[in-house]
Structure formats: structure tokens, C-alpha cells
Amino acid sequence: MRKVAFLGLGAMGIRMASNLLDSKYRVTVWNRTFSKTDELVTKGAMLAETPRQAAHDADFVIAMVRDDNVSRKVWLDPETGAFNNMKKGAIAIDSSTLSINWVKELNQHASERNIPFIEAPVSGSRPQAESGQLIYLVGGKKEAYEDSKELLKTMGSIINYTGEVGNGALTKLCTNTLLGVQVATLAELISTLKRQHDVDVEKIISALSSTAPWSASANGISTMMLNKTFDPMFPIELIEKDFSYTLDATGPEAPVIEAVRDVFRKGLENGLGDENMTAVLKLYP
């Protein structure tokens, strides 16, 4: 039975690790807040006090953490980092949404230690993580990807191989950018329709949903906005972070992306950071 260390048990990670346990992998878990490990330990996971301890004797080490800074600490901390204790041949996988520059640097650190590494960010939210229906966007050496594919299939329904390290991060950031543009646009349209026109907004949205520009994501986005349900599936603070990473990758000539990032940044400034991204609707009268 192959062993997996899972580092980071946020809303996505805890569901992904649970699917690994259901698939009969031997799983060791670590999280900065130890109480979040209780559910998985009850289910059969082993508990580690540090990423380094979790990585001991694991065949795969997976990180699913908040940002570049946490990723750096999880892998590279001189005392507690996972890279310090991985056995020969074990594969390092980072499924976090990271900047392109950092994921390439992380790959270099792995290479210097002769550790096979792939980036494996995911598209999908909590329901997809729970049901094992995530979409993977993998970058890295083909051999490490092939060796990891069966593991990833326990957590995802589609595994896309994008090529070299950095391509997965770029694909994920583009995905979240397209999503965020829809969120900001629908918030502005819905608020404008309500404020300036005496119309049935739900009927207009229903009609829009039958047209070519509509997307599958727009269904959920518009429904949450119309019902004013803002429970965090993808919090504003995280999508603002992802837009900032996208802008780091695109450079200064991305005015549309920058304008949408500023909408989410305004949400942060208005105390909406821990609410779902659709809560930017509250920014409009």
C-alpha cells in the first residue's frame, strides 16, 4: 500500500485527503491548525507535527496551501520543511495556486535535491473536491507525471498534462482570471439592472443563459448573487491573490485584468475578504 503525506487541510485539502483515505492509501496529514486534522485522524490518517515528519517514508508528498509564502515554508523550512526528509524516489506534488516564478523556483530546489517534482493545481471548488471530480492542470517531467497519474485520479476526474513546470500555474491563473472577470461583470450588470431599469432581473438572466456568451460557471455565479448567498466557496481574499499572481505573470499591459483585480481588492478593503467572491455584489448600491 503506497504512502501519501498530505500537507494543508483547508477547505479543499481536507476533502482531497479524505478521498485518498477512501481509496485505501496510507495517509499522513499535517496542518498548521492541528484541530483540523481530527476528522481525518478519526478516519484512519496518521498525524504529523511538521511537514518534515509527515514526509518520512512517504511515496508522495502533496501540498495544498494558501500561497507562495506558505508553500516555501512547507517545503523548504530548514528545520521543518518536507524536502529535508523525503526518501529517494518519492515524488513532491504541489497542488496550491502559486505564482509562476515561485513554482519554477520550487522545481529548481527539488531538482537540486534530486526530488521528482510536479505542479498539480486544480480547477474546481469544495463540491468537486468532495466528490473527487477536480480537474488537474499538471506541469513537470513526463515520467513524474505518469508515476503520479493514478494517485491524482483518486481526487480528480480529468488530468491535463500541460508540459513543463510553470505551465500548470499559468493555466490555473488563467482559469481563475476568466472566472473572476465573469464574477465582477455579473455583479456590475445585476446591480445596474436593478438600480437603473424597472425590469425583472431574473428573467433577463434566464434569457442570457440561453445565449452563446453564457458559461456553466455563470449559472452558479448569478444564482448566488440573485439569492444573496455568499457562503465562502472561493473567498474574495484568495481570488484577489490569484489576480495579483496573474498580473505578475502578464506584466503591466493587462488593464482589464488589473481593473477586475481592483474590484476584488476593494472587496478586501470593505471587509468582505472571507466571503465568497460573489459578495462583490455588495459593493454596488
Side-chain angles (χ1 to χ4, degrees), residues 161-221:
Y161 178 63
T162 66
E164 64 184 22
V165 167
N167 290 355
L170 184 59
T171 307
K172 176 60 188 294
L173 293 174
C174 288
T175 299
N176 286 2
T177 299
L178 287 170
L179 177 63
V181 167
Q182 292 178 80
V183 171
T185 303
L186 280 167
E188 203 165 282
L189 286 172
I190 288 172
S191 63
T192 300
L193 290 171
K194 286 185 174 180
R195 185 173 67 252
Q196 297 188 10
H197 302 276
D198 185 18
V199 294
D200 186 327
V201 176
E202 291 191 22
K203 284 186 178 179
I204 289 180
I205 293 296
S206 178
L208 279 173
S209 69
S210 68
T211 65
W214 199 255
S215 72
S217 295
N219 285 327
I221 294 167

Side-chain angles (χ1 to χ4, degrees), residues 42-119:
T42 300
K43 196 173 180 177
M46 299 293 292
L47 174 62
E49 294 184 0
T50 65
R52 177 184 179 128
Q53 186 183 88
H56 174 69
D57 205 31
D59 299 297
F60 301 94
V61 181
I62 304 172
M64 184 63 167
V65 296
R66 181 184 183 86
D67 56 27
D68 288 3
N69 292 332
V70 182
S71 174
R72 181 183 294 275
K73 186 172 179 61
V74 160
W75 293 110
L76 297 179
D77 185 277
E79 295 183 0
T80 63
F83 276 170
N84 298 324
N85 203 26
M86 290 179 65
K87 69 181 183 181
K88 184 177 180 179
I91 297 175
I93 303 172
D94 204 314
S95 288
S96 320
T97 302
L98 304 173
S99 71
I100 296 168
N101 288 340
W102 166 241
V103 80
K104 287 183 176 181
E105 183 183 337
L106 180 58
N107 180 55
Q108 183 61 36
H109 284 293
S111 179
E112 290 168 358
R113 294 165 171 80
N114 295 314
I115 295 172
F117 173 81
I118 62 170
E119 54 170 344

Side-chain angles (χ1 to χ4, degrees), residues 78 93-94 131 135 147 150 160 166 189 193 204 209 219 231 235 253 276:
I93 303 172
D94 204 314
S131 62
I135 298 172
D147 288 345
E150 287 305 311
N160 294 296
L189 286 172
L193 290 171
I204 289 180
S209 69
N219 285 327
D231 295 338
E253 300 302 321
N276 197 54

